[in-house]
Amino acid sequence: PAIYINAGRDAVFGNDGLLYVCGYTYDYTDNQGFVYCLDENGFEYPYFGNNGVALSEYGGGIVYEAIDIDSYGRPIVTGYLNDTVFVRRFNLAGIPDPNFGENGTLKIDIPGSLFSFAYDIKVLPDNKILVSGFRIDLETSMQKAFLVRLTANGSLDSTFGNGGVLILNVGPLADFANAIDIAPDGNYIIAGHSELPSNDEVLPRYESFVTRVKTDGTIDSSFGTNGFT
């Protein structure tokens, strides 16, 4: 009752039919991320976390924005911690997996970024991980969309993009990558929104965009106009 915000942000079914819901709380001072595990009747599953919920550490502005499941049924969340993108993998008991990243968590330092924020995650069939969002450019202070691919053990995949990172550069102004899906041919579909020129200094204008990214981390120029619709 003392919490100001208690926000569910994403949900996914596990391999065993359990439902995992991620989100965050805010109590006027700081954030705390949560993953709820629910059974088929919508009640907390007692064998995950603490009676069905895995709470993050308190502090640092931690936010869980999106969740997916790997082939072993382990939930993986992404969001941001101290204004930096991070990914966290849990084991089936709801405990951060020590075999992933550093004690279950990987902070992603995107080169040339002042801050970075993630908004979607998709686990690939080989358990590699895609993360999308936006970063604030260190030189221009402008928001620019990105797509990151991680290895299954929680490190940047050097075979994708530039050291595991692709900056989309949708347009000359701000852009944001909000959602990921996998095309039937295995390539990646990214959706978001991009800022348009505007004479209004208070209210910017945006348009939606969709792009297709090849598995090597390059924009597919055959999609839409020069890779974008």
Side-chain angles (χ1 to χ4, degrees):
I3 292 174
Y4 172 57
I5 291 176
N6 186 0
R9 300 295 290 164
D10 198 14
V12 65
F13 277 107
N15 297 348
D16 48 9
L18 296 171
L19 179 65
Y20 295 90
V21 180
C22 78
Y24 68 95
T25 64
Y26 178 65
D27 64 359
Y28 291 100
T29 301
D30 217 324
N31 299 83
Q32 194 167 15
F34 64 76
V35 176
Y36 268 91
C37 182
L38 306 178
D39 65 21
E40 65 273 16
N41 295 312
F43 295 101
E44 289 92 342
Y45 184 67
Y47 306 107
F48 181 86
N50 184 7
N51 292 319
V53 60
L55 281 174
S56 75
E57 62 275 22
Y58 179 83
I62 192 167
V63 172
Y64 295 167
E65 287 282 3
I67 188 168
D68 203 5
I69 299 290
D70 70 9
S71 66
Y72 299 98
R74 297 172 297 196
I76 306 175
V77 296
T78 192
Y80 40 96
L81 170 64
N82 292 322
D83 298 326
T84 300
V85 169
F86 81 103
V87 177
R88 175 169 290 166
R89 187 172 75 193
F90 296 88
N91 62 26
L92 298 182
I95 299 170
D97 186 345
N99 297 314
F100 183 86
E102 183 176 347
N103 297 319
T105 301
L106 172 68
K107 285 187 176 182
I108 302 175
D109 182 17
I110 300 177
S113 300
L114 185 61
F115 303 114
S116 57
F117 306 88
Y119 285 98
D120 202 12
I121 186 170
K122 184 69 69 174
V123 180
L124 300 170
D126 60 0
N127 286 323
K128 290 185 177 183
I129 301 165
L130 297 175
V131 174
S132 68
F134 74 94
R135 57 125 185 187
I136 298 178
D137 188 89
L138 186 62
E139 294 184 359
T140 66
S141 297
M142 188 173 293
Q143 301 97 328
K144 302 303 293 183
F146 69 80
L147 181 66
V148 167
R149 192 169 74 190
L150 308 177
T151 64
N153 64 357
S155 60
L156 285 169
D157 184 354
S158 61
T159 65
F160 178 84
N162 183 11
V165 179
L166 171 65
I167 305 301
L168 297 181
N169 289 320
V170 183
L173 301 177
D175 42 66
F176 308 81
N178 299 324
I180 310 169
D181 207 354
I182 310 302
D185 62 4
N187 290 318
Y188 315 139
I189 303 297
I190 313 300
H193 58 285
S194 179
E195 186 178 359
L196 294 170
S198 173
N199 294 325
D200 191 329
E201 296 181 358
V202 178
L203 298 175
R205 299 170 59 236
Y206 294 93
E207 63 180 357
S208 299
F209 76 84
V210 181
T211 187
R212 185 165 63 199
V213 177
K214 297 180 181 179
T215 57
D216 64 356
T218 58
I219 301 292
D220 184 353
S221 60
S222 69
F223 182 86
T225 303
N226 296 322
F228 293 91
T229 296

